[in-house]
Amino acid sequence: MDSQGGPYLNKRALCSPLGAARLCQLAMGCAVIAMVTHSAGYSGSQGVFCMAAWCFCFAMTVVVFFLDATRLYSCLPISWDNLTVTCAAFATLMYVTASVVYPLFFVRAECPYAGCDVRNFRIAVTVCSILGALAYGAEVALCRARPGQAVVGYMATVSGLLKVVQGFVACIIFGALANGSEYSRYAATIFCVVVYAFCFALTALVVVMTVCGRTKAVRCLPFDRFVVVCTLLEVLLYLSASVVWPVFCFDTKYGSPWRPSSCPQGRCPWDSKVVVAVFSFVNFGLYVADLIYSQRIRFVSSHVHTNSRM
């Protein structure tokens, strides 16, 4: 609260580009959830994922907007700027994924048995989901630190945002591993799983430290140098996993380079292995980009509480 007798509510939470982006997020999230529950519908694991993503992002945005509007975030032992940009980046990825998955499994050109109203509602859900993804992306763009400047909010830098993407891609890898990937057949593929888990934990540690404002120093290393050391280690580990996994999954000595014809659609171990291989290369590229961008960061330690960005 303002000790100088100012307004109790933060007008910038509404009357600013960032406030407008969050209001758009709330409007699109509310519209999507209402249309899905009213008539569009969802089913199966894909539909449950989309609905869970929309509901989680909507609830998260409500909390962020409320804390920002009331300035109650100043009571929390966190770095507010780092938390909000992390949430926005994560929500952007969730919305983009749902905007692809939902129409892929639920939207058809012809009218379903339930009638054309259901199809039209599903198209509207897709459009609102895309607009929601753009609104979250706009928040990330508004909060992103400019190249070359000394920054307090590490998560607002390209390197910090890449940390969110790396964690999201790792979750996709874990999902594929759990979907009958048969990773326990060889010690080499078990090693790859350990690499994925360790790198995910290290990335999550950096994000949590940043959000909690624990960025003054780690032992004898400044925080920015600690991040570079971690990223270099992750690059080396992902490089090894990106080589080992395809060899022990698709070489004729250990597996099959071609998809078996008898493999069931949606429950095929070979498909899961391909997903893991592809996203291993994706995450390796992300970690390399992170390592390159992190060389340009000059991080400035600050108090836990920071001012909310416009």
Side-chain angles (χ1 to χ4, degrees):
M1 294 298 180
D2 190 351
S3 61
Q4 304 300 321
Y8 288 101
L9 296 180
N10 181 12
K11 294 182 178 179
R12 290 177 298 179
L14 288 173
C15 304
S16 69
L18 182 56
R22 287 176 180 163
L23 287 175
C24 184
Q25 295 163 11
L26 291 172
M28 293 302 103
C30 188
V32 166
I33 295 171
M35 286 188 290
V36 170
T37 55
H38 171 65
S39 186
Y42 64 96
S43 61
S45 59
Q46 298 86 3
V48 170
F49 165 78
C50 293
M51 192 61 174
W54 291 322
C55 291
F56 175 79
C57 293
F58 179 74
M60 183 173 61
T61 305
V62 169
V63 173
V64 169
F65 183 80
F66 177 79
L67 292 176
D68 192 22
T70 58
R71 295 191 179 94
L72 288 176
Y73 64 83
S74 60
C75 302
L76 303 176
I78 58 173
S79 174
W80 181 247
D81 287 343
N82 283 314
L83 175 65
T84 54
V85 73
T86 301
C87 291
F90 180 73
T92 301
L93 295 171
M94 294 288 283
Y95 257 77
V96 168
T97 305
S99 299
V100 173
V101 172
Y102 190 81
L104 188 65
F105 286 92
F106 297 98
V107 177
R108 298 291 181 268
E110 65 278 1
C111 295
Y113 68 90
C116 292
D117 287 345
V118 173
R119 182 200 61 181
N120 295 339
F121 269 107
R122 289 177 176 178
I123 293 174
V125 166
T126 303
V127 172
C128 289
S129 183
I130 293 172
L131 293 176
L134 293 175
Y136 282 108
E139 179 176 350
V140 174
L142 289 169
C143 296
R144 187 176 68 86
R146 299 297 174 261
Q149 73 181 71
V151 295
V152 174
Y154 169 76
M155 296 306 299
T157 65
V158 172
S159 182
L161 294 173
L162 283 172
K163 287 282 187 284
V164 181
V165 183
Q166 292 158 8
F168 187 80
V169 171
C171 290
I172 297 176
I173 292 176
F174 294 144
L177 288 171
N179 190 31
S181 61
E182 299 176 345
Y183 65 86
S184 59
R185 292 180 62 183
Y186 304 105
T189 51
I190 294 176
F191 161 77
C192 293
V193 175
V194 173
V195 167
Y196 301 141
F198 177 77
C199 291
F200 176 77
L202 205 55
T203 299
L205 175 64
V206 172
V207 174
V208 170
M209 288 176 61
T210 307
V211 170
C212 294
R214 310 297 182 185
T215 56
K216 288 186 177 180
V218 181
R219 293 288 181 177
C220 60
L221 294 177
F223 179 75
D224 49 357
R225 190 174 179 184
F226 170 74
V227 171
V228 172
V229 171
C230 290
T231 306
L232 177 59
L233 177 60
E234 290 162 335
V235 167
L236 297 176
L237 288 174
Y238 254 92
L239 175 61
S240 62
S242 299
V243 173
V244 171
W245 182 268
V247 169
F248 279 84
C249 289
F250 306 117
D251 187 86
T252 53
K253 182 179 178 180
Y254 305 103
S256 171
W258 311 108
R259 189 180 192 277
S261 57
S262 59
C263 215
Q265 192 71 28
R267 297 293 300 177
C268 182
W270 193 88
D271 293 343
S272 298
K273 293 174 184 177
V274 170
V275 171
V276 172
V278 170
F279 282 98
S280 294
F281 284 109
V282 170
N283 236 4
F284 172 68
L286 291 172
Y287 278 112
V288 170
D290 188 3
L291 184 63
I292 295 172
Y293 275 106
S294 62
Q295 303 302 308
R296 305 170 61 185
I297 296 175
R298 294 299 177 266
F299 192 84
V300 180
S301 297
S302 70
H303 298 291
V304 170
H305 304 305
T306 56
N307 295 327
S308 182
R309 284 190 175 86
M310 291 295 294

